[in-house]
Amino acid sequence: MSTATTGAWVRRFHPAPDAATRLICFPHAGGSATYYFPVSRALAPEIDVLAIQYPGRMDRRNEPCVEDIHELADLVVEQLTPWLDRPFTLFGHSLGATLGFEVAQRLSATGEHPLALFASGRMAPSRHRDTQFHRFDDPALIEQIGRLSGTDAKVLGDAEMLRLILPTIRGDYKAVETYRMRPGPPLTCPITVLTGDDDPEVTLDEAQAWAAHTSGRFEMTVFNGGHFFLTDHVDAVLTQISAQVAAA
């Protein structure tokens, strides 16, 4: 398949048709598939990288956000069916980690088991906090976004840009904050958790709790940094992904 034939949901920035495996990436709340462009560039052609584009952002900005992670996972699984012709690994950051877990559960139930799940910057699915950021007024929501340091300061100071992106961010926060894991068996694939030691969204205990969600191997790597620690540790994270995929 080429980039032109991936449809609305899947982005394949650097097609690697001869790669032995695929890495399927899920963006964070408010994020888009382009967040993983550098990952795709770095790992091709050894790994064929796909990034999921949720409705409500970038070229899909005129579509309504999906404000329920279970519904979003169902829709993503439908779109991934043509891409499961070779072994695959799942990677998600923040909201994307929870979504990756739900997608892994659905695929595993049909016999399509991931090589591994990388869960970055997110508490375990069995944990939740009673936060209501999606109900905040615009100034308070903007303050919350700024606290996580994942949005360019220029964007936060641009009223027109904020007007365009706030509904998407609010919808994504609703999806995360209303999510509750449904009963089901643990995954059998390895889970690798990546987390920042100063992340206000995830304590080390909440990250460690991912261990209960697999009967396979569990690993956790703690990086210096906050919620978007990935920005400062790109090379280390890519090395870890490549090594684990190669081992699998």
Side-chain angles (χ1 to χ4, degrees):
M1 293 185 179
S2 68
T3 305
T5 61
T6 55
W9 286 84
V10 178
R11 298 291 182 272
R12 195 183 187 206
F13 300 115
H14 304 91
D18 298 325
T21 68
R22 287 201 167 100
L23 178 69
I24 303 170
C25 301
F26 302 92
H28 53 279
S32 67
T34 54
Y35 184 74
Y36 292 106
F37 183 93
V39 174
S40 174
R41 180 175 56 199
L43 295 182
E46 287 76 18
I47 298 174
D48 193 29
V49 178
L50 308 179
I52 301 301
Q53 185 78 303
Y54 312 142
R57 65 217 68 214
M58 303 294 284
D59 57 326
R60 305 190 70 186
R61 62 186 176 276
N62 292 326
E63 301 176 49
C65 286
V66 179
E67 298 179 345
D68 180 276
I69 285 182
H70 293 288
E71 179 185 350
L72 186 58
D74 289 340
L75 292 169
V76 168
V77 167
E78 290 179 7
Q79 300 298 319
L80 286 179
T81 300
W83 298 96
L84 304 179
D85 58 333
R86 66 190 71 179
F88 62 95
T89 300
L90 305 177
F91 184 103
H93 181 69
S94 194
L95 175 152
T98 303
L99 179 60
F101 169 76
E102 288 292 334
V103 168
Q105 280 197 316
R106 285 159 174 74
L107 292 178
S108 295
T110 66
E112 298 284 359
H113 298 280
L115 294 175
L117 168 65
F118 283 84
S120 170
R122 181 67 182 153
M123 70 182 76
S126 53
R127 300 292 187 92
H128 67 270
R129 299 182 184 182
D130 189 21
T131 55
Q132 298 285 321
F133 294 122
H134 71 280
R135 296 183 182 275
F136 282 15
D137 61 20
D138 287 355
L141 183 58
I142 292 168
E143 182 179 349
Q144 163 64 11
I145 297 166
R147 189 169 67 96
L148 298 181
S149 303
T151 305
D152 193 317
K154 293 180 180 178
V155 173
L156 294 178
D158 186 327
E160 180 61 21
M161 182 65 71
L162 284 173
R163 184 185 67 80
L164 294 174
I165 69 172
L166 271 183
T168 297
I169 294 174
R170 191 179 299 281
D172 286 353
Y173 264 101
K174 181 179 179 181
V176 169
E177 293 176 333
T178 60
Y179 169 77
R180 297 295 182 270
M181 187 186 76
R182 296 171 180 169
L187 298 175
T188 58
C189 70
I191 292 180
T192 296
V193 167
L194 311 176
T195 192
D197 62 2
D198 194 31
D199 187 346
E201 298 291 294
V202 190
T203 66
L204 295 184
D205 177 67
E206 289 170 332
Q208 180 69 35
W210 277 94
H213 296 291
T214 180
S215 61
R217 188 177 71 254
F218 173 78
E219 298 179 8
M220 186 168 84
T221 303
V222 181
F223 294 91
N224 293 328
H227 192 59
F228 286 93
F229 66 90
L230 291 175
T231 303
D232 297 322
H233 300 282
V234 173
D235 290 343
V237 171
L238 291 176
T239 298
Q240 190 166 355
I241 293 172
S242 297
Q244 189 158 332
V245 169

